[in-house]
Amino acid sequence: MKILIIGGTGTISSAITRQLAESGHDLWLLNRGTRKAEVPANVKQIIADINDERSVLGGIAAETFDAVCDFIAFEPSQVERDIRLFRNRTRQYVFISSASAYAKPARSPFITEGTTLANPHWQYSRNKIACEELLMKEYRENGFPVTIIRPSHTYCERGVPLSIHGPSGSWPVLKRMLDGKPVLVHGDGSSLWTLTWNEDFARGFIGLLGNPKAIGEVFQIMSDESLTWDQIYECVAQALGVTPRLYHVASDFLAAVCPKDYDLEGNLIGDKAATVLFDCTKLKRAVPGFCCTTRFDQGVRRCVDYILSHPELQVEDEAFDTWCDRVIEAQEQAKQYIK
C-alpha cells in the first residue's frame, strides 16, 4: 500500500513507521524533519509544516494514497485542513483520537466504542470529540473515508508511563525511587488502568489500513492487561531494582494543588483516576489474530534500560520534586492536626 503518515516519529507512530517500512510498503512521512535520523532509509519524507497548506500541496504534487494517517491533529480546524488537503487524494483517512474522550467514571467500567463521549475535565479530550463529530458528519454527508482510532495510554522506550509527573516527564519520579524518596500515587492505588506497548498497538493499527471494514468506523486499540496503579509503580520500581515507597493522596486534592502545567484535573479526574476495562472485540473481529504480547513488566524494563543508558533523557525537575515533598508534608501535618 501507499501510505502517508503526518508525524511518524512520535511515541505511537514511530513503531508504525518501522513496521510498515520493514513490510515493504510505499511509506511517506510528512513532518518538520526534526528526527530525520530515526526514519528508515526506504521511507520517503516530505519536510513541511502541515499547517502550511501550500507547502504541503507542493510536496505531495499529484500523489494519491491508499491511506493518510494524521497523528498530530488535535483541534477541529486541523481536521478541516486535512479534509481540504486530502479529499479525493486518499482511499482512507485515519484520525487518531483518544480514549480519554470517554465519559469517566463510566456507568460501566467496561468500555466499548459505543461508550458515551464526554469529558468536562479536559479540553484536550473535548477537542478530540469535536474532531470526531466533524469527521463522521463529513463521512455521512460527503463520503469522506474516515477511520477513527482511540488509543489509551500507549508508551515506548523513551518514557515510563506514570499517572503523576511534571513537564520533564518520568525521570524525576524514577529519581525519587532511586533516592529512596516517597512517590505520589493518586487515590488508594487500587483503580485499574491499561498500558499498551507501542509495537503491539502498531500491529492492530496496521491491520486496519486498507481494511474495508474500517471505513466509517471507530476502533480502540489497547492491551487486554489491566493493572492497579500500585502494581504499575511496583513494576517500575522492580525494573529499577529498588523497593518503592508509595504515598497515596486523593486525586481531587492533587488536582486542586498542582501547578497549572501539570494539568492533573484532566490527566487524573478526566482520565487516569477512573477504573476502565477496555473491550477490543470490535478490533479483533476486523483484524483477526490481533493480540498484545508485551506485558507491562517486560515493556517497562525496556523503558528503564533505555532511559538509564541515555543521559539526555534524565532531565531533573527541582520544582516537581519540591512540590511532591510539599504535598506529602501537608498531608502528614493534616494527620497530626486531626489526632
Side-chain angles (χ1 to χ4, degrees):
M1 288 189 294
K2 186 176 179 180
I3 301 162
L4 173 67
I5 293 179
I6 304 169
T9 59
T11 296
I12 297 178
S13 59
S14 58
I16 296 168
T17 293
R18 288 194 300 270
Q19 290 182 26
L20 286 172
E22 290 168 1
S23 299
H25 291 282
D26 183 7
L27 180 60
W28 298 52
L29 300 189
L30 193 162
N31 56 40
R32 295 179 179 178
T34 56
R35 290 180 174 172
K36 291 179 69 174
E38 301 177 20
V39 177
N42 62 332
V43 174
K44 300 178 182 68
Q45 278 198 277
I46 301 171
I47 306 301
D49 181 343
I50 184 61
N51 294 304
D52 184 348
E53 295 183 37
R54 181 174 297 181
S55 177
V56 171
L57 289 172
I60 294 174
E63 302 289 344
T64 59
F65 301 91
D66 294 303
V68 171
C69 314
D70 194 338
F71 286 84
I72 56 174
F74 302 100
E75 299 178 0
S77 62
Q78 296 167 332
V79 167
E80 290 170 344
R81 172 207 63 210
D82 285 359
I83 292 171
R84 288 193 301 270
L85 285 170
F86 300 110
R87 187 191 305 278
N88 301 321
R89 286 179 174 269
T90 185
R91 296 179 179 178
Q92 182 181 28
Y93 172 85
V94 184
F95 172 69
I96 313 304
S97 186
S98 171
S100 69
Y102 292 122
K104 298 187 185 76
R107 292 177 180 173
S108 167
F110 299 98
I111 305 294
T112 71
E113 289 83 354
T115 297
T116 300
L117 302 183
N119 193 329
H121 302 286
W122 207 357
Q123 186 62 48
Y124 165 82
S125 305
R126 293 196 294 275
N127 285 341
K128 288 290 190 180
I129 293 169
C131 289
E132 287 197 27
E133 291 173 344
L134 191 158
L135 284 164
M136 293 306 292
K137 181 175 185 292
E138 190 67 21
Y139 168 69
R140 289 190 298 268
E141 295 180 3
N142 299 306
F144 189 69
V146 64
T147 298
I148 294 170
I149 307 295
R150 295 181 189 142
S152 185
H153 203 158
T154 307
Y155 68 106
C156 71
E157 69 278 1
R158 293 196 289 247
V160 172
L162 301 165
S163 64
I164 302 168
H165 59 78
S168 298
S170 59
W171 173 251
V173 180
L174 272 59
K175 183 72 163 51
R176 287 182 71 88
M177 285 189 176
L178 290 168
D179 291 343
K181 300 179 74 172
V183 173
L184 297 178
V185 179
H186 66 274
D188 63 0
S190 66
S191 60
L192 293 170
W193 194 243
T194 299
L195 297 159
T196 307
W197 183 246
N198 69 339
E199 293 173 350
D200 288 335
F201 178 95
R203 287 191 292 272
F205 183 94
I206 291 170
L208 293 172
L209 298 182
N211 189 330
K213 296 179 181 178
I215 304 301
E217 296 291 341
V218 180
F219 296 89
Q220 52 192 25
I221 305 176
M222 56 277 294
S223 171
D224 290 326
E225 180 184 36
S226 295
L227 299 169
T228 68
W229 277 105
D230 273 1
Q231 289 173 327
I232 290 168
Y233 277 78
E234 286 162 2
C235 285
V236 175
Q238 187 175 25
L240 288 167
V242 300
T243 300
R245 295 175 59 194
L246 306 184
Y247 191 89
H248 299 108
V249 181
S251 299
D252 53 359
F253 180 77
L254 289 168
V257 302
C258 75
K260 187 175 181 180
D261 57 350
Y262 295 10
D263 193 15
L264 294 186
E265 181 180 355
N267 275 294
L268 287 183
I269 310 304
D271 198 26
K272 298 177 180 65
T275 284
V276 290
L277 300 169
F278 293 102
D279 181 349
C280 290
T281 300
K282 182 177 180 180
L283 173 68
K284 293 173 183 178
R285 285 199 301 264
V287 186
F290 170 74
C291 179
C292 291
T293 59
T294 305
R295 297 194 316 264
F296 179 66
D297 65 297
Q298 298 169 328
V300 77
R301 285 184 182 277
R302 294 173 65 176
C303 294
V304 166
D305 290 346
Y306 188 87
I307 292 171
L308 291 178
S309 64
H310 287 75
E312 71 276 10
L313 297 178
Q314 299 170 24
V315 180
E316 307 237 359
D317 188 340
E318 184 178 346
F320 173 78
D321 201 48
T322 300
W323 176 76
C324 291
D325 291 337
R326 290 180 64 197
V327 169
I328 293 167
E329 181 183 6
Q331 184 158 292
E332 290 302 307
Q333 287 179 351
K335 290 178 185 176
Q336 295 301 318
Y337 177 80
I338 292 172
K339 288 179 180 178

